[in-house]
Amino acid sequence: MNMMSTLWQGAGRRIHLQEVGTRDGLQAEAAFVPTEDKIALVNALSRTGLAKIEVTSFVSPKAIPALRDGEQVMREIERRPGVVYSALVPNTRGAERAIDARTDEFNLVMSASESHNLSNLRMTRAQSFAALSEVNALARQAGAAVNVSLSCAFGCPMEGEVTGVLDWCARYVEELGVRGVTLCDTTGMAFPTQVAALTAAFRARWPQTELTLHFHNTRGLGLANVLAAIDAGADRFDASLGGIGGCPYAPGASGNVCTEEIVHALDLMGYDTGIELPLLIDAAGHLPVLLGHDVPSQLLKAGRRLDLHPLPADFEAIRERAMART
Ligand code: COA
Ligand code: ZN
């Protein structure tokens, strides 16, 4: 491949980035991030050009104490036109809270793996589907959009291979008529050829349905999986500022793919993410202080590809010595 074809691979194709750091990220943190800091973080993210922000989750505060302030955060953020503000909803109690807080899009959650669904949501998958059918009806009455996230779609840390993923998609797309489906790689078990096959199969069957891919970088395959999905027709990804994140009820879970790393890579390749990378990097830079620890983002440490370093202090002397030898 020559240099020009590498540069133009993306050819301005639009890729939508959806921030999940304030949900998938903060749910995994031991320390409670103060409500006003969460609101300020969402407001900063809103200004970067992200397509969608998963602001919080309306789950049991006993299950996820870190997000017990979901209503207040959702109510008090500044809504920027064009940005979709979503929240994770597991049951009808969560739907009532989401409606109350004026959530644009409900992200219904269930796992493609029975073991993970029981561990995470304390229901069988059949019970989840019944509860989420009610949530879907409530969301529609309230005029909110509906997306469903299928956890463990590429493998389960307790069961191994997971089958029947497209059958669950069919139930949500064809029976419930959801706007979008997110295939989640909850513990980083996905690999590029598997991702390409599932993405292509979904796209071929439901070309009108919004498809999101949600990867965790647990085994270092996150960016490779994103690129494989794009080649197979995907144009929408969840990612987390700083690369934080993980499901506390999935053993071995670790951070999501990192938003600023994905945007940096896609920018270089000529894709159009609509995101102002410096604003994103600036927001990510506040995370270590906010969370009290370092974050996985390699880009925060290394800087962008063309953030150059100064020459060595004795560079002129080195050059003069080298020239004198010729
Ligand atoms: N929001 C707030 N409170 C909720 C709630 C919700 N969506 N759903 C249930 N509750 C409360 C109930 O009111 C009840 O409260 P009480 O003990 O004070 O009476 C309590 O939680 C138990 O309710 P129950 O319906 O029996 O739930 P459960 O204990 O079987 O748990 C879930 C089921 C789905 C609520 C819980 O497992 C959960 O929230 N899981 C989400 C985990 C998660 O977010 N994982 C990471 C994202 S993938
Ligand atoms: Zn996740």
Side-chain angles (χ1 to χ4, degrees), residues 225-241:
N225 286 332
V226 169
L227 297 179
I230 290 176
D231 280 347
D235 65 355
R236 204 168 264 282
F237 296 90
D238 283 350
S240 173
L241 196 69

PDB file of all heavy atoms in Angstrom, residues 225-241:
ATOM      1  N   ASN A 225      -9.930  -4.159  17.082  1.00  0.00           N
ATOM      2  CA  ASN A 225     -11.338  -4.526  16.905  1.00  0.00           C
ATOM      3  C   ASN A 225     -12.145  -3.382  16.289  1.00  0.00           C
ATOM      4  O   ASN A 225     -13.021  -3.602  15.454  1.00  0.00           O
ATOM      5  CB  ASN A 225     -11.947  -4.946  18.245  1.00  0.00           C
ATOM      6  CG  ASN A 225     -11.459  -6.317  18.686  1.00  0.00           C
ATOM      7  OD1 ASN A 225     -11.123  -7.162  17.857  1.00  0.00           O
ATOM      8  ND2 ASN A 225     -11.404  -6.536  19.988  1.00  0.00           N
ATOM      9  N   VAL A 226     -11.842  -2.148  16.709  1.00  0.00           N
ATOM     10  CA  VAL A 226     -12.539  -0.988  16.122  1.00  0.00           C
ATOM     11  C   VAL A 226     -12.272  -0.936  14.617  1.00  0.00           C
ATOM     12  O   VAL A 226     -13.196  -0.790  13.807  1.00  0.00           O
ATOM     13  CB  VAL A 226     -12.079   0.331  16.792  1.00  0.00           C
ATOM     14  CG1 VAL A 226     -12.597   1.548  16.022  1.00  0.00           C
ATOM     15  CG2 VAL A 226     -12.557   0.392  18.244  1.00  0.00           C
ATOM     16  N   LEU A 227     -11.018  -1.082  14.216  1.00  0.00           N
ATOM     17  CA  LEU A 227     -10.671  -0.980  12.792  1.00  0.00           C
ATOM     18  C   LEU A 227     -11.291  -2.127  11.991  1.00  0.00           C
ATOM     19  O   LEU A 227     -11.763  -1.924  10.866  1.00  0.00           O
ATOM     20  CB  LEU A 227      -9.152  -0.943  12.622  1.00  0.00           C
ATOM     21  CG  LEU A 227      -8.467   0.274  13.264  1.00  0.00           C
ATOM     22  CD1 LEU A 227      -6.965   0.214  13.053  1.00  0.00           C
ATOM     23  CD2 LEU A 227      -9.027   1.600  12.729  1.00  0.00           C
ATOM     24  N   ALA A 228     -11.323  -3.315  12.589  1.00  0.00           N
ATOM     25  CA  ALA A 228     -11.946  -4.458  11.899  1.00  0.00           C
ATOM     26  C   ALA A 228     -13.439  -4.206  11.713  1.00  0.00           C
ATOM     27  O   ALA A 228     -14.014  -4.519  10.657  1.00  0.00           O
ATOM     28  CB  ALA A 228     -11.724  -5.743  12.689  1.00  0.00           C
ATOM     29  N   ALA A 229     -14.070  -3.623  12.731  1.00  0.00           N
ATOM     30  CA  ALA A 229     -15.514  -3.345  12.643  1.00  0.00           C
ATOM     31  C   ALA A 229     -15.791  -2.295  11.569  1.00  0.00           C
ATOM     32  O   ALA A 229     -16.756  -2.416  10.800  1.00  0.00           O
ATOM     33  CB  ALA A 229     -16.038  -2.873  14.003  1.00  0.00           C
ATOM     34  N   ILE A 230     -14.946  -1.270  11.486  1.00  0.00           N
ATOM     35  CA  ILE A 230     -15.140  -0.234  10.460  1.00  0.00           C
ATOM     36  C   ILE A 230     -15.044  -0.857   9.071  1.00  0.00           C
ATOM     37  O   ILE A 230     -15.884  -0.610   8.199  1.00  0.00           O
ATOM     38  CB  ILE A 230     -14.105   0.907  10.624  1.00  0.00           C
ATOM     39  CG1 ILE A 230     -14.419   1.719  11.887  1.00  0.00           C
ATOM     40  CG2 ILE A 230     -14.098   1.819   9.399  1.00  0.00           C
ATOM     41  CD1 ILE A 230     -13.401   2.809  12.204  1.00  0.00           C
ATOM     42  N   ASP A 231     -14.051  -1.692   8.871  1.00  0.00           N
ATOM     43  CA  ASP A 231     -13.894  -2.349   7.561  1.00  0.00           C
ATOM     44  C   ASP A 231     -15.112  -3.205   7.223  1.00  0.00           C
ATOM     45  O   ASP A 231     -15.424  -3.404   6.053  1.00  0.00           O
ATOM     46  CB  ASP A 231     -12.630  -3.220   7.547  1.00  0.00           C
ATOM     47  CG  ASP A 231     -11.384  -2.376   7.312  1.00  0.00           C
ATOM     48  OD1 ASP A 231     -11.519  -1.197   6.926  1.00  0.00           O
ATOM     49  OD2 ASP A 231     -10.267  -2.899   7.522  1.00  0.00           O
ATOM     50  N   ALA A 232     -15.775  -3.724   8.268  1.00  0.00           N
ATOM     51  CA  ALA A 232     -16.940  -4.588   8.036  1.00  0.00           C
ATOM     52  C   ALA A 232     -18.249  -3.793   7.985  1.00  0.00           C
ATOM     53  O   ALA A 232     -19.327  -4.382   7.918  1.00  0.00           O
ATOM     54  CB  ALA A 232     -17.017  -5.657   9.115  1.00  0.00           C
ATOM     55  N   GLY A 233     -18.165  -2.452   8.056  1.00  0.00           N
ATOM     56  CA  GLY A 233     -19.382  -1.651   7.853  1.00  0.00           C
ATOM     57  C   GLY A 233     -19.900  -0.905   9.068  1.00  0.00           C
ATOM     58  O   GLY A 233     -20.924  -0.239   8.987  1.00  0.00           O
ATOM     59  N   ALA A 234     -19.206  -0.984  10.221  1.00  0.00           N
ATOM     60  CA  ALA A 234     -19.679  -0.272  11.419  1.00  0.00           C
ATOM     61  C   ALA A 234     -19.273   1.204  11.352  1.00  0.00           C
ATOM     62  O   ALA A 234     -18.251   1.547  10.751  1.00  0.00           O
ATOM     63  CB  ALA A 234     -19.101  -0.904  12.681  1.00  0.00           C
ATOM     64  N   ASP A 235     -20.091   2.060  11.961  1.00  0.00           N
ATOM     65  CA  ASP A 235     -19.750   3.491  11.972  1.00  0.00           C
ATOM     66  C   ASP A 235     -20.049   4.142  13.323  1.00  0.00           C
ATOM     67  O   ASP A 235     -20.158   5.363  13.423  1.00  0.00           O
ATOM     68  CB  ASP A 235     -20.495   4.240  10.858  1.00  0.00           C
ATOM     69  CG  ASP A 235     -22.001   4.242  11.050  1.00  0.00           C
ATOM     70  OD1 ASP A 235     -22.491   3.588  11.997  1.00  0.00           O
ATOM     71  OD2 ASP A 235     -22.698   4.898  10.259  1.00  0.00           O
ATOM     72  N   ARG A 236     -20.168   3.329  14.378  1.00  0.00           N
ATOM     73  CA  ARG A 236     -20.589   3.859  15.676  1.00  0.00           C
ATOM     74  C   ARG A 236     -19.927   3.057  16.797  1.00  0.00           C
ATOM     75  O   ARG A 236     -20.035   1.825  16.823  1.00  0.00           O
ATOM     76  CB  ARG A 236     -22.112   3.701  15.751  1.00  0.00           C
ATOM     77  CG  ARG A 236     -22.829   4.624  16.670  1.00  0.00           C
ATOM     78  CD  ARG A 236     -24.330   4.528  16.405  1.00  0.00           C
ATOM     79  NE  ARG A 236     -24.766   5.565  15.499  1.00  0.00           N
ATOM     80  CZ  ARG A 236     -24.980   6.824  15.829  1.00  0.00           C
ATOM     81  NH1 ARG A 236     -24.817   7.204  17.082  1.00  0.00           N
ATOM     82  NH2 ARG A 236     -25.373   7.699  14.937  1.00  0.00           N
ATOM     83  N   PHE A 237     -19.246   3.771  17.696  1.00  0.00           N
ATOM     84  CA  PHE A 237     -18.498   3.075  18.750  1.00  0.00           C
ATOM     85  C   PHE A 237     -18.688   3.757  20.096  1.00  0.00           C
ATOM     86  O   PHE A 237     -18.701   4.979  20.186  1.00  0.00           O
ATOM     87  CB  PHE A 237     -17.000   3.064  18.417  1.00  0.00           C
ATOM     88  CG  PHE A 237     -16.707   2.282  17.177  1.00  0.00           C
ATOM     89  CD1 PHE A 237     -16.697   2.905  15.931  1.00  0.00           C
ATOM     90  CD2 PHE A 237     -16.504   0.913  17.236  1.00  0.00           C
ATOM     91  CE1 PHE A 237     -16.478   2.178  14.773  1.00  0.00           C
ATOM     92  CE2 PHE A 237     -16.275   0.173  16.081  1.00  0.00           C
ATOM     93  CZ  PHE A 237     -16.261   0.819  14.846  1.00  0.00           C
ATOM     94  N   ASP A 238     -18.789   2.935  21.131  1.00  0.00           N
ATOM     95  CA  ASP A 238     -18.668   3.429  22.496  1.00  0.00           C
ATOM     96  C   ASP A 238     -17.186   3.501  22.838  1.00  0.00           C
ATOM     97  O   ASP A 238     -16.394   2.655  22.385  1.00  0.00           O
ATOM     98  CB  ASP A 238     -19.322   2.458  23.491  1.00  0.00           C
ATOM     99  CG  ASP A 238     -20.846   2.543  23.504  1.00  0.00           C
ATOM    100  OD1 ASP A 238     -21.405   3.477  22.898  1.00  0.00           O
ATOM    101  OD2 ASP A 238     -21.464   1.653  24.131  1.00  0.00           O
ATOM    102  N   ALA A 239     -16.824   4.479  23.651  1.00  0.00           N
ATOM    103  CA  ALA A 239     -15.447   4.575  24.124  1.00  0.00           C
ATOM    104  C   ALA A 239     -15.458   5.404  25.398  1.00  0.00           C
ATOM    105  O   ALA A 239     -16.427   6.114  25.678  1.00  0.00           O
ATOM    106  CB  ALA A 239     -14.556   5.242  23.075  1.00  0.00           C
ATOM    107  N   SER A 240     -14.369   5.292  26.152  1.00  0.00           N
ATOM    108  CA  SER A 240     -14.364   5.903  27.472  1.00  0.00           C
ATOM    109  C   SER A 240     -13.144   6.812  27.631  1.00  0.00           C
ATOM    110  O   SER A 240     -12.016   6.403  27.337  1.00  0.00           O
ATOM    111  CB  SER A 240     -14.342   4.764  28.493  1.00  0.00           C
ATOM    112  OG  SER A 240     -14.171   5.261  29.759  1.00  0.00           O
ATOM    113  N   LEU A 241     -13.412   8.028  28.071  1.00  0.00           N
ATOM    114  CA  LEU A 241     -12.344   9.007  28.296  1.00  0.00           C
ATOM    115  C   LEU A 241     -11.271   8.393  29.200  1.00  0.00           C
ATOM    116  O   LEU A 241     -11.599   7.795  30.232  1.00  0.00           O
ATOM    117  CB  LEU A 241     -12.955  10.241  28.969  1.00  0.00           C
ATOM    118  CG  LEU A 241     -12.128  11.520  28.953  1.00  0.00           C
ATOM    119  CD1 LEU A 241     -12.043  12.078  27.547  1.00  0.00           C
ATOM    120  CD2 LEU A 241     -12.734  12.558  29.893  1.00  0.00           C
TER     121      LEU A 241
END
